[in-house]
Amino acid sequence: MTDLEKRLNFIEFRQELLFRDDPVSRLFFEYKITEEQVDQIYDLFDDYRTRIENKMDVHHGSFEQALYEIVPEQNGNYHFVEFLAKELFDSGRWQEVFEKLYGDMLKYQQLFKK
């Protein structure tokens, strides 16, 4: 694929994000996330869902590091990772991942009171 084709694909994907007009798409648009990165991010969330289902030990620090490897431009920006996980939670997607990784944080505990 040529650079021009890559650029065109990126522009078309960004246009698609605008048409979706939901919080997660707006976040991907704002942070200039590519379609390939989105696929990798969703794979990461699926992987953590599986780890949680299998009762494996998971931590937000290792999750954040894995996401930085996908989106190196956001390396160290834990706000980006946390915000993305929260937006996906709010949209009903990978809720167990957000709850397991961030549910013990004081600012989110009210979301999980039973």
Side-chain angles (χ1 to χ4, degrees):
M1 183 178 290
T2 68
D3 286 343
L4 183 58
E5 289 171 323
K6 288 179 186 176
R7 181 76 177 141
L8 180 59
N9 285 344
F10 180 63
I11 291 168
E12 287 175 344
F13 178 64
R14 288 179 57 78
Q15 181 180 16
E16 183 182 324
L17 291 173
L18 287 174
F19 284 127
R20 287 182 196 164
D21 195 31
D22 62 75
V24 175
S25 296
R26 285 192 294 273
L27 181 112
F28 288 146
F29 183 87
E30 180 181 333
Y31 284 94
K32 296 183 174 99
I33 306 300
T34 67
E35 188 170 17
E36 180 181 274
Q37 288 171 319
V38 169
D39 291 342
Q40 292 173 355
I41 289 168
Y42 289 164
D43 287 346
L44 178 64
F45 273 87
D46 283 339
D47 178 52
Y48 268 73
R49 172 186 281 156
T50 300
R51 291 177 189 207
I52 292 165
E53 288 171 352
N54 291 327
K55 310 276 191 254
M56 296 173 72
D57 199 22
V58 296
H59 301 281
H60 67 266
S62 58
F63 177 77
E64 290 166 5
Q65 196 58 47
L67 210 130
Y68 299 149
E69 290 175 18
I70 296 168
V71 187
E73 301 82 10
Q74 296 305 319
N75 189 23
N77 184 357
Y78 69 91
H79 295 288
F80 164 72
V81 181
E82 190 176 316
F83 186 49
L84 173 59
K86 176 70 167 61
E87 287 297 334
L88 288 167
F89 171 84
D90 288 344
S91 68
R93 300 162 68 191
W94 293 288
Q95 291 181 319
E96 69 280 5
V97 174
F98 178 78
E99 182 174 3
K100 183 70 173 176
L101 296 177
Y102 298 99
D104 62 344
M105 292 184 174
L106 187 58
K107 61 184 170 182
Y108 296 122
Q109 286 180 351
Q110 79 281 359
L111 297 173
F112 307 107
K113 287 186 178 179
K114 297 176 181 166

